[in-house]
């Protein structure tokens, strides 16, 4: 039999002690220190040892737990399964797996699916507990069945309104409140009714299921025709052609959590397709022309992506406050190509990708010279595309403007210091745990 570990993390439900297994109940009984949220600690009024409430700085509490565990049995109370969007992973990271025992209970998500009778082996899980809802609609574009862990600020009504705002109304919703507790309530909603609901308690799980049985996820690789962005045509009529867009976005080597700058965003076509490929990241669409800014915003809403931030301003000045990117696309420079490239290369994360589209000979020469001056040997592609178009009963080819695509990787050496990420942007990389339904 293995040695008893110094710290036990016990999961429990909203029914408190009734949800404990005999093993979990024994762990609480032998504990000398009981740690948990105030709601959880109230389930054990008979406990005579030291109680520590999980509030304020979690790091400070875990430091104290580490010190106490050297001489005391410590039990930490958590909601449901402590390793499912819970505190368990932080405790293991802090103290080491060899010193921690996890005793899970049923998670709130398990209870929610059980109460609604919906199978959950093909479900996806999203948490907005303690996180920004930015990107919520984008993440759901490819999903058909989702369990969402919410909080007071990002409740079911607000999330439903966000989906409707971004044109994704085809969901049936269930709101499951205080699961397994005295006040348990499970209600089904259409999305518009949920957006208007104002009596949902803070302890809930939101289930979302596509309402159309014929629904299929969108293509893995976006390949949208220019017409998809042409409800309001930019002044100069330029929208990055889809063949160019596909190669340029591929050259950026995007990951799901990438931060992207699209400089000279125009219609927003590159920003939107990049956002679809980075559902856990963010895209900053930088555009100087006021009309272009509004067109970009309209297109972002029309395509249902909510992880694009449209930045009105001229580059490179407008780039100063943005978080460091993993990839930069330059589609327009307004005569500041050299300055934009210098800023982009300084701010790119090591290994990040820079991609430039250049049409004019002047921009081609300036881009190549600037990249070589930085010691880079860029990949250069001259793309000439001809499309078939009807001619009476025949088909002929119509040539598009040839374009140079430059691509370069920032070396791993340290560069200029990056400003901190905007406060509302920090959730996408290493967000804090979200105790399920707490």
């Amino acid at each position: 039999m293995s040695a008893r570990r110094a710290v036990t993390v016990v999961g429990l439900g909203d029914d408190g002690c009734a949800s404990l297994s005999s093993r979990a109940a024994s762990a609480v009984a032998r504990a000398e220190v009981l740690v948990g949220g105030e709601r959880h600690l109230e389930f054990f009024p008979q406990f005579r040892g030291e109680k520590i409430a999980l509030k304020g700085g979690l790091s400070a509490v875990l430091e104290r737990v580490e010190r106490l565990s050297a001489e005391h049995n410590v039990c930490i109370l958590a909601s449901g399964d402590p390793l499912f969007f819970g505190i368990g992973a932080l405790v293991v990271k802090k103290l080491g797996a060899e010193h921690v025992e996890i005793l899970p209970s049923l998670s709130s998500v398990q209870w929610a699916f059980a109460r609604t009778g919906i199978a959950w082996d093909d479900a996806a899980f999203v948490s907005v507990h303690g996180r920004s809802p930015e990107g919520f609609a984008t993440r759901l574009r490819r999903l058909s069945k989702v369990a969402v862990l919410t909080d007071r600020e990002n409740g079911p009504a607000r999330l439903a309104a966000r989906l409707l705002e971004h044109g994704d109304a085809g969901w049936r919703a269930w709101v499951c409140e205080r699961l397994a507790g005295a006040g348990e309530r499970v209600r089904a909603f259409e999305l518009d009714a949920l957006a208007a609901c104002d009596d949902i308690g803070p302890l809930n799980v939101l289930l979302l299921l596509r309402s159309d049985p014929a629904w299929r996820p969108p293509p893995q690789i976006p390949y949208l025709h220019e017409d998809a962005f042409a409800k309001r045509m930019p002044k100069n009529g330029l929208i990055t052609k889809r063949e160019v867009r596909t190669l340029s976005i591929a050259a950026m080597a995007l990951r799901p959590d990438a931060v992207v700058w699209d400089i000279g965003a125009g219609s927003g076509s590159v920003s939107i397709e990049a956002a679809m490929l980075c559902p856990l990241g963010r895209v900053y669409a930088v555009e100087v022309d006021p009309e272009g800014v509004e067109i970009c915003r309209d297109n972002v809403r029309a395509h249902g992506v909510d992880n694009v931030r449209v930045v009105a301003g001229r580059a490179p000045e407008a780039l100063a406050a943005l978080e460091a990117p993993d990839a930069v696309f330059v589609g327009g420079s307004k005569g500041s190509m050299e300055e934009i490239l210098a800023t982009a290369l300084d701010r790119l994360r090591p290994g990040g990708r820079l991609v430039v589209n250049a049409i004019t000979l002047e921009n081609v020469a300036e881009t190549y010279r600037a990249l070589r001056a930085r010691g880079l040997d860029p990949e250069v592609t001259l793309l000439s595309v001809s499309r078939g178009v009807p001619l009476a009963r025949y088909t002929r080819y119509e040539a598009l403007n040839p374009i140079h695509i430059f691509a370069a990787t920032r070396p791993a050496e340290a560069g200029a210091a990056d400003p901190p990420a905007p406060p509302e942007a920090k959730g996408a990389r290493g967000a804090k745990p979200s105790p399920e339904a707490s």
Side-chain angles (χ1 to χ4, degrees):
M1 184 175 177
S2 60
R4 182 180 297 167
R5 302 182 185 187
V7 175
T8 307
V9 185
V10 171
L12 68 164
D14 205 51
D15 50 351
C17 298
S19 65
L20 296 179
S21 65
S22 59
R23 187 172 179 180
S26 296
V28 176
R30 67 172 179 263
E32 298 163 285
V33 179
L34 194 61
V35 183
E38 292 178 340
R39 180 171 63 92
H40 292 144
L41 293 175
E42 288 173 359
F43 289 132
F44 301 94
Q46 77 283 4
F47 184 78
R48 294 291 176 257
E50 181 180 359
K51 288 184 177 181
I52 301 174
L54 279 172
K55 59 182 180 180
L58 188 57
S59 178
V61 173
L62 291 182
E63 291 281 356
R64 188 175 176 189
V65 165
E66 184 177 31
R67 292 194 300 271
L68 289 170
S69 65
E71 297 181 1
H72 301 83
N73 285 329
V74 179
C75 182
I76 300 176
L77 305 174
S79 294
D81 184 342
L83 292 176
F84 184 74
F85 292 105
I87 195 176
L90 280 180
V91 177
V92 170
K93 183 178 180 181
K94 178 68 177 175
L95 304 178
E98 68 276 16
H99 302 301
V100 179
E101 183 178 21
I102 306 287
L103 299 178
S105 181
L106 289 177
S107 73
S108 59
V109 167
Q110 287 176 283
W111 276 116
F113 281 111
R115 289 294 191 251
T116 56
I118 300 172
W120 64 293
D121 50 357
D122 58 346
F125 311 103
V126 175
S127 176
V128 293
H129 187 110
R131 296 159 165 82
S132 166
E134 183 181 47
F136 180 74
T138 304
R139 293 182 68 180
L140 266 59
R141 290 181 74 255
R142 299 184 185 279
L143 304 178
S144 60
K145 184 187 294 184
V146 191
V148 186
L149 302 179
T150 71
D151 62 15
R152 290 180 183 273
E153 184 177 353
N154 301 308
R158 183 181 180 189
L159 297 175
R162 190 175 188 90
L163 289 174
L164 292 171
E165 179 188 354
H166 289 85
D168 194 3
W171 295 93
R172 187 91 191 280
W174 287 261
V175 177
C176 309
E177 302 169 72
R178 300 198 70 91
L179 289 160
E184 179 179 279
R185 181 168 60 171
V186 177
R187 291 179 286 172
F189 292 89
E190 297 300 327
L191 214 58
D192 54 352
L194 177 56
C197 188
D198 61 1
D199 67 341
I200 299 172
L203 301 179
N204 68 76
V205 174
L206 171 64
L207 301 186
L208 293 168
L209 191 65
R210 291 284 177 184
S211 55
D212 180 3
W215 177 87
R216 294 293 181 271
Q220 197 71 18
I221 299 175
Y223 192 58
L224 298 172
H225 193 274
E226 300 84 71
D227 291 347
F229 307 99
K231 276 190 176 180
R232 290 176 59 192
M233 186 68 71
K235 284 178 182 177
N236 56 13
L238 294 178
I239 296 177
T240 305
K241 302 300 186 284
R242 62 179 175 181
E243 296 87 352
V244 179
R245 214 183 307 132
T246 299
L247 287 180
S248 298
I249 290 175
M252 284 194 277
L254 301 176
R255 300 187 308 272
D257 64 346
V259 173
V260 181
W261 291 357
D262 176 9
I263 301 171
S267 67
S269 60
V270 171
S271 291
I272 289 165
E273 290 197 346
M276 292 175 180
L277 295 171
C278 305
L280 304 179
R282 272 170 304 285
V283 178
Y284 293 89
V286 182
E287 176 56 45
V288 66
D289 178 60
E291 183 182 6
V293 168
E294 290 308 310
I295 291 172
C296 191
R297 286 176 176 153
D298 287 347
N299 281 327
V300 166
R301 285 190 292 268
H303 287 275
V305 290
D306 61 343
N307 56 337
V308 176
R309 300 184 185 181
V310 180
V311 179
R314 185 185 182 97
E317 295 79 10
L319 309 174
L322 306 185
E323 61 184 310
D326 300 288
V328 176
F329 174 77
V330 182
S333 63
K334 295 291 185 183
S336 302
M337 180 66 80
E338 188 172 346
E339 294 85 352
I340 289 172
L341 296 182
T343 299
L345 289 168
D346 284 342
R347 296 287 308 286
L348 264 172
R349 291 190 172 101
R353 294 282 284 174
L354 170 67
V355 175
V356 182
N357 282 182
I359 297 175
T360 68
L361 291 176
E362 291 77 9
N363 269 354
V364 169
E366 189 174 5
T367 300
Y368 185 74
R369 185 172 59 249
L371 295 176
R372 294 292 293 164
R374 295 288 294 248
L376 299 174
D377 186 13
E379 307 159 22
V380 187
T381 302
L382 174 59
L383 181 64
S384 298
V385 175
S386 293
R387 292 177 177 174
V389 296
L391 176 65
R393 293 183 296 111
Y394 306 97
T395 300
R396 68 177 179 85
Y397 282 115
E398 183 175 85
L400 304 180
N401 282 332
I403 189 166
H404 283 78
I405 302 174
F406 292 86
T409 300
R410 177 183 167 174
E413 302 90 272
D418 295 319
E424 69 275 19
K426 293 180 180 177
R429 296 174 182 264
K432 68 178 182 180
S434 53
E436 45 172 305
S438 65

